[in-house]
C-alpha cells in the first residue's frame, strides 16, 4: 500500500457521511492505538478510554460509532456500523490485488478452463475438467480435484484440498472394509472464500455444493454431498459430516461438529464447540454437547466482533 494517499473527504463522500475536522491525507489502515500520521481507524465501542486514545492521535482519521458525537477532536465521521464501513473503505481504497498469473511451479491440466484475471500460486495442482471463474485467486499448495467448478471472485487459501474422495466404506460379511467410491465433485459459487488447510470432499454420486458468498475459515472439514447455503459462515476447525444441509446465512462456530444427514435452517447460529446431532430449525441459537436450543436469534445475520 506504499504511496497510496486518499483524502479524508473522499472517504466520507464514499460512505455518504459528514466529515468532521481537517481534510487530511489517509495512507494506511491501522489499529486504534496507532500514532502514525494518516492512519485510518475505526471505533465500534464508545468508552472514555477510547476517547482519550483517539484524541491523542490528531493526525489520524477515525470511522467512529455515532455515540461519539461531540467527543472527538481528531478527523472523523460518525457511523451506525463503523466496522462495516471500515471494511467497505478497505475494499474500495486499499484492495489486496493479486497479479493475473500462473506460477511456474503450478501444475494445470490442459483440460482445465480458467477465466480471466486469475492468480494460481506456487505448487498448485489443478486436475482435469476443473473450471475456475474470472478474478478468482488460488494460493499456494492447493489441490483441486477432477471436475471441480469454482465461480467468480473466489479466494482459495493455501494448503486447501478440494474435490478428492471423502471417507466412505462398507464392511463385508468378514468385516473387510469395501471402499464406496466417490464419483461426484464439488461445485462452488461466486464470491466464496475457503480458508487455509481446509478440505472439501467431493460428492459420492452427486456434487458437494458451496453456494454464493459462503465464507469458510481455516482448518475446516466439509464431507461429501454437503450443501452450504448462500452467505453462511463456517469458522475455524469446524467439522461438517456427510450429506449435511446448511441453510442460508448460518453461522457455525469454531470446533463445532455436525453429524451426517443433519439439517440446519436458515439464519441459525451454532455455538463454539457444539456437537449437533439433530436438526436445528430456522433462526435458532444452538450450543452444547449435545447441542440444544438456547434461544431464537434477534437478527438474521452472523454475530459481529467489535474492536
Amino acid at each position: 500500500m506504499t504511496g497510496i494517499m486518499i483524502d479524508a473527504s473522499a472517504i466520507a463522500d464514499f460512505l455518504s457521511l459528514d466529515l468532521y475536522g481537517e481534510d487530511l491525507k489517509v495512507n494506511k489502515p491501522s489499529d486504534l492505538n496507532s500514532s502514525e500520521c494518516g492512519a485510518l481507524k475505526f471505533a465500534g465501542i464508545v468508552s472514555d478510554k477510547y476517547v482519550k486514545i483517539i484524541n491523542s492521535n490528531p493526525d489520524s482519521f477515525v470511522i467512529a460509532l455515532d455515540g461519539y458525537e461531540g467527543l472527538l477532536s481528531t478527523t472523523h465521521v460518525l457511523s451506525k456500523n463503523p466496522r462495516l464501513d471500515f471494511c467497505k473503505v478497505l475494499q474500495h481504497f486499499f484492495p489486496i490485488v493479486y497479479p493475473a498469473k500462473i506460477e511456474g511451479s503450478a501444475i494445470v491440466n490442459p483440460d482445465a478452463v480458467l477465466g480471466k484475471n486469475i492468480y494460481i500460486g506456487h505448487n498448485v495442482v489443478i486436475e482435469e475438467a476443473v473450471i475456475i471463474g474470472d478474478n478468482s485467486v488460488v494460493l499456494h499448495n492447493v489441490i483441486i480435484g477432477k471436475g471441480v467448478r469454482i465461480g467468480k471472485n473466489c479466494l482459495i487459501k493455501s494448503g486447501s484440498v478440494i474435490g478428492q474422495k471423502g471417507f466412505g466404506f462398507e464392511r463385508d460379511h468378514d468385516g473387510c472394509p469395501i471402499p464406496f467410491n466417490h464419483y461426484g465433485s464439488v461445485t462452488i459459487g461466486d464470491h466464496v472464500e475457503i480458508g487455509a488447510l481446509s478440505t472439501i470432499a467431493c460428492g459420492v454420486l452427486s456434487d458437494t455444493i458451496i453456494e454464493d458468498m459462503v465464507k469458510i475459515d481455516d482448518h475446516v472439514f466439509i464431507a461429501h454431498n454437503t450443501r452450504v447455503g448462500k452467505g453462511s459462515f463456517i469458522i475455524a476447525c469446524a467439522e461438517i459430516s456427510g450429506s449435511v444441509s446448511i441453510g442460508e446465512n448460518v453461522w457455525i462456530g469454531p470446533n463445532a461438529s455436525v453429524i451426517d444427514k443433519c439439517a440446519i435452517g436458515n439464519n441459525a447460529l451454532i455455538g463454539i464447540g457444539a456437537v449437533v446431532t439433530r436438526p436445528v430449525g430456522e433462526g435458532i441459537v444452538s450450543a452444547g454437547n449435545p447441542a440444544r436450543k438456547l434461544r431464537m436469534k434477534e437478527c438474521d445475520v452472523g454475530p459481529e466482533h467489535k474492536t
Side-chain angles (χ1 to χ4, degrees):
M1 291 180 290
T2 302
I4 295 178
M5 298 292 286
I6 309 296
D7 290 336
S9 58
I11 295 174
D13 289 344
F14 171 73
L15 296 174
S16 299
L17 298 173
D18 293 329
L19 179 68
Y20 298 91
E22 179 186 353
D23 188 10
L24 52 76
K25 299 288 185 181
V26 174
N27 56 37
K28 63 177 296 187
S30 302
D31 64 69
L32 203 57
N33 292 297
S34 173
S35 59
E36 296 182 75
C37 294
L40 171 67
K41 311 172 185 179
F42 78 98
I45 298 173
V46 180
S47 74
D48 292 340
K49 173 185 173 182
Y50 291 146
V51 170
K52 292 178 181 179
I53 291 172
I54 294 169
N55 288 337
S56 67
N57 298 307
D59 296 322
S60 61
F61 172 53
V62 181
I63 302 173
L65 191 66
D66 51 13
Y68 278 98
E69 184 174 5
L71 300 176
L72 303 181
S73 58
T74 190
T75 300
H76 65 280
V77 294
L78 296 174
S79 166
K80 294 186 180 300
N81 191 333
R83 189 172 190 268
L84 174 60
D85 284 339
F86 187 77
C87 290
K88 289 179 178 179
V89 170
L90 297 189
Q91 285 294 104
H92 186 78
F93 294 102
F94 302 94
I96 296 174
V97 179
Y98 293 89
K101 179 181 180 181
I102 300 176
E103 299 290 356
S105 58
I107 300 174
V108 180
N109 189 284
D111 291 335
V113 178
L114 307 183
K116 300 176 182 178
N117 301 316
I118 283 180
Y119 176 75
I120 306 295
H122 296 285
N123 303 311
V124 170
V125 176
I126 297 177
E127 297 182 355
E128 62 184 286
V130 168
I131 299 173
I132 302 178
D134 297 347
N135 306 309
S136 288
V137 172
V138 181
L139 295 180
H140 318 301
N141 303 305
V142 169
I143 298 176
I144 300 178
K146 178 180 177 181
V148 171
R149 289 170 288 176
I150 298 173
K152 300 177 181 178
N153 301 294
C154 292
L155 172 62
I156 314 298
K157 292 169 64 178
S158 296
S160 290
V161 179
I162 301 172
Q164 293 196 338
K165 175 186 177 298
F167 190 84
F169 297 89
E170 286 292 329
R171 294 186 184 274
D172 66 13
H173 295 297
D174 297 321
C176 181
I178 307 300
F180 196 142
N181 290 340
H182 289 41
Y183 300 98
S185 190
V186 177
T187 298
I188 295 172
D190 298 335
H191 301 281
V192 170
E193 180 168 322
I194 296 172
L197 300 170
S198 291
T199 299
I200 301 176
C202 68
V204 179
L205 300 174
S206 58
D207 286 358
T208 301
I209 297 175
I210 311 296
E211 296 185 359
D212 295 349
M213 304 297 294
V214 168
K215 309 299 180 184
I216 296 171
D217 201 353
D218 299 345
H219 299 274
V220 168
F221 175 76
I222 297 176
H224 57 269
N225 294 97
T226 287
R227 176 184 288 269
V228 182
K230 182 177 180 180
S232 289
F233 284 21
I234 304 178
I235 315 304
C237 302
E239 182 278 324
I240 312 299
S241 300
S243 301
V244 168
S245 174
I246 297 172
E248 297 184 359
N249 298 314
V250 171
W251 194 90
I252 297 180
N255 294 298
S257 298
V258 183
I259 197 171
D260 59 298
K261 300 180 181 179
C262 197
I264 298 175
N266 295 341
N267 303 309
L269 188 153
I270 308 301
I272 295 173
V275 178
V276 180
T277 60
R278 53 188 178 181
V280 177
E282 182 170 346
I284 286 176
V285 177
S286 183
N289 181 7
R292 60 184 179 85
K293 177 181 175 180
L294 299 183
R295 57 181 172 82
M296 297 297 295
K297 283 182 65 177
E298 297 178 358
C299 59
D300 60 357
V301 296
E304 288 190 11
H305 305 282
K306 297 180 179 180
T307 57

